Amino acid sequence: MLRSVIQMLLNRSISKSWTCLPCITSHRLKVRILPKEHYDETETPYMKSPKSGESFVTNFYAFVQRKWTWADIKQTQKWKRINELQEDQKYNSTRHKILGPDLATSHFIIARGGKVKFKGHEEWMTLDHLQRREIPSQYVPGFCIEELDASNVPLCYEGFENLCGLSELKKVILQNCPFIDDWCLSRSYLLANTLEYLDISGCKNVSERGICTLHVLKNLKTLVIHDTPKIQHKELVSLLLQEILSNCEIIGVNYDDPILRKRIKKYMD
């Protein structure tokens, strides 16, 4: 009798465990499902929406806990200055509406340390002229930029958009500009119809890719590329550019290089 009762209890406990097992398993599976990744339709590379679990406190805690080195601090400050520079040089439509393209560009370049020369004027306009209000602060017909010198000016890619609409610009000097690179030169199409002289000497970030983008300057007569160490095969790239721009003279290239002569001879054969 006792044996039969024990057997009945064992059978009941086993059957009960089997009936409860699916419920426990399904419950655990639900707990283990990972939450869906955050998604925002309006998210852009320049405006990141906060992720779940992210707040000022968590960001500040991560900032404090990070082991900062002197190199990290310098790099952070560098990128901060570059971002401020990019924001400062963005195209300002209001300025162009009030001043017109030539005067707007002159204000933009001169205020950042450059200088311009208007058509029919022999004197370069600098920051002193701007401060003495010798350059109009509203649109006045007849002021057309013919030459522009932005040497040593930290001009970046965003700033090149301010050079649009210049119908008389023939000469541009960009010597030793620290942020001029291939992307900046790719915007040279804005000056394709008028530019005849371009000097990018000392622009360390310009490579052969940037030189190739200058093929759109169909009226270019002189290109100066002294002290541009990042340009590989400078002589060959210059020859290829001159095949497209037959009237262009490229200064800063050693065509007497024996290696170049061998390559040309091999190409001609």
Side-chain angles (χ1 to χ4, degrees), residues 78 177-185 200-212 225-235 237-238 252:
K78 176 184 176 181
C177 292
F179 297 115
I180 295 294
D181 56 9
D182 300 337
W183 291 98
C184 295
L185 294 184
I200 55 173
S201 300
C203 296
K204 311 290 185 181
N205 296 321
V206 174
S207 71
E208 64 278 1
R209 297 180 180 87
I211 299 300
C212 292
I225 53 175
H226 288 296
D227 192 19
T228 49
K230 204 172 180 180
I231 301 178
Q232 298 181 2
H233 311 295
K234 183 185 293 186
E235 293 79 9
V237 173
S238 300

Side-chain angles (χ1 to χ4, degrees), residues 86 155-161 179-190 205-207 209-211 213-214 230:
Q86 291 172 341
L155 194 64
C156 60
Y157 176 78
E158 286 75 10
F160 266 74
E161 192 174 358
F179 297 115
I180 295 294
D181 56 9
D182 300 337
W183 291 98
C184 295
L185 294 184
S186 68
R187 281 195 160 177
S188 59
Y189 68 89
L190 296 170
N205 296 321
V206 174
S207 71
R209 297 180 180 87
I211 299 300
T213 63
L214 301 179
K230 204 172 180 180

Side-chain angles (χ1 to χ4, degrees), residues 86-116:
Q86 291 172 341
E87 288 294 327
D88 177 63
Q89 295 189 14
K90 284 185 177 180
Y91 177 79
N92 190 336
S93 59
T94 304
R95 178 172 56 208
H96 277 251
K97 288 179 181 178
I98 296 174
L99 296 170
D102 290 275
L103 286 174
T105 302
S106 64
H107 278 253
F108 173 79
I109 294 295
I110 292 173
R112 287 157 182 80
K115 54 185 179 180
V116 301

Side-chain angles (χ1 to χ4, degrees), residues 39-54:
Y39 178 78
D40 187 0
E41 188 68 30
T42 61
E43 188 174 358
T44 66
Y46 305 100
M47 181 182 64
K48 295 289 185 180
S49 56
K51 302 296 187 290
S52 57
E54 183 179 0

Side-chain angles (χ1 to χ4, degrees), residues 150-169:
S151 299
N152 301 299
V153 175
L155 194 64
C156 60
Y157 176 78
E158 286 75 10
F160 266 74
E161 192 174 358
N162 293 278
L163 305 182
C164 63
L166 304 178
S167 59
E168 299 291 339
L169 183 60

Side-chain angles (χ1 to χ4, degrees), residues 32-264:
R32 290 177 182 175
I33 294 176
L34 296 176
K36 186 179 179 181
E37 292 184 2
H38 180 81
Y39 178 78
D40 187 0
E41 188 68 30
T42 61
E43 188 174 358
T44 66
Y46 305 100
M47 181 182 64
K48 295 289 185 180
S49 56
K51 302 296 187 290
S52 57
E54 183 179 0
S55 64
F56 172 78
V57 176
T58 56
N59 291 337
F60 180 76
Y61 182 77
F63 176 83
V64 173
Q65 292 297 319
R66 179 177 174 180
K67 295 181 179 179
W68 289 91
T69 63
W70 181 246
D72 294 335
I73 296 174
K74 290 179 65 177
Q75 188 70 12
T76 302
Q77 292 297 323
K78 176 184 176 181
W79 282 111
K80 183 179 179 181
R81 289 194 299 269
I82 291 176
N83 290 333
E84 292 175 353
L85 194 68
Q86 291 172 341
E87 288 294 327
D88 177 63
Q89 295 189 14
K90 284 185 177 180
Y91 177 79
N92 190 336
S93 59
T94 304
R95 178 172 56 208
H96 277 251
K97 288 179 181 178
I98 296 174
L99 296 170
D102 290 275
L103 286 174
T105 302
S106 64
H107 278 253
F108 173 79
I109 294 295
I110 292 173
R112 287 157 182 80
K115 54 185 179 180
V116 301
K117 183 184 289 186
F118 293 109
K119 186 176 182 180
H121 295 71
E122 296 295 331
E123 186 180 8
W124 285 93
M125 295 294 173
T126 61
L127 186 60
D128 294 335
H129 297 86
L130 185 63
Q131 292 174 346
R132 293 197 299 263
R133 300 186 182 277
E134 296 182 13
I135 301 176
S137 57
Q138 59 183 2
Y139 176 72
V140 176
F143 282 86
C144 298
I145 298 178
E146 192 172 31
E147 298 182 21
L148 184 152
D149 187 353
S151 299
N152 301 299
V153 175
L155 194 64
C156 60
Y157 176 78
E158 286 75 10
F160 266 74
E161 192 174 358
N162 293 278
L163 305 182
C164 63
L166 304 178
S167 59
E168 299 291 339
L169 183 60
K170 296 182 179 180
K171 184 175 182 178
V172 173
I173 303 174
L174 302 173
Q175 293 181 1
N176 303 312
C177 292
F179 297 115
I180 295 294
D181 56 9
D182 300 337
W183 291 98
C184 295
L185 294 184
S186 68
R187 281 195 160 177
S188 59
Y189 68 89
L190 296 170
L191 313 173
N193 296 324
T194 60
L195 194 63
E196 298 179 359
Y197 182 98
L198 177 61
D199 186 353
I200 55 173
S201 300
C203 296
K204 311 290 185 181
N205 296 321
V206 174
S207 71
E208 64 278 1
R209 297 180 180 87
I211 299 300
C212 292
T213 63
L214 301 179
H215 72 278
V216 298
L217 303 176
K218 55 186 178 181
N219 294 320
L220 190 65
K221 297 179 180 178
T222 305
L223 174 63
V224 186
I225 53 175
H226 288 296
D227 192 19
T228 49
K230 204 172 180 180
I231 301 178
Q232 298 181 2
H233 311 295
K234 183 185 293 186
E235 293 79 9
L236 291 175
V237 173
S238 300
L239 289 173
L240 291 174
L241 183 63
Q242 285 180 317
E243 285 189 5
I244 302 174
L245 306 176
S246 57
N247 296 325
C248 180
E249 177 188 4
I250 301 179
I251 302 174
V253 181
N254 181 20
Y255 290 109
D256 295 328
D257 187 4
I259 298 177
L260 176 64
R261 289 183 175 275
K262 288 182 180 180
R263 290 181 177 179
I264 294 175

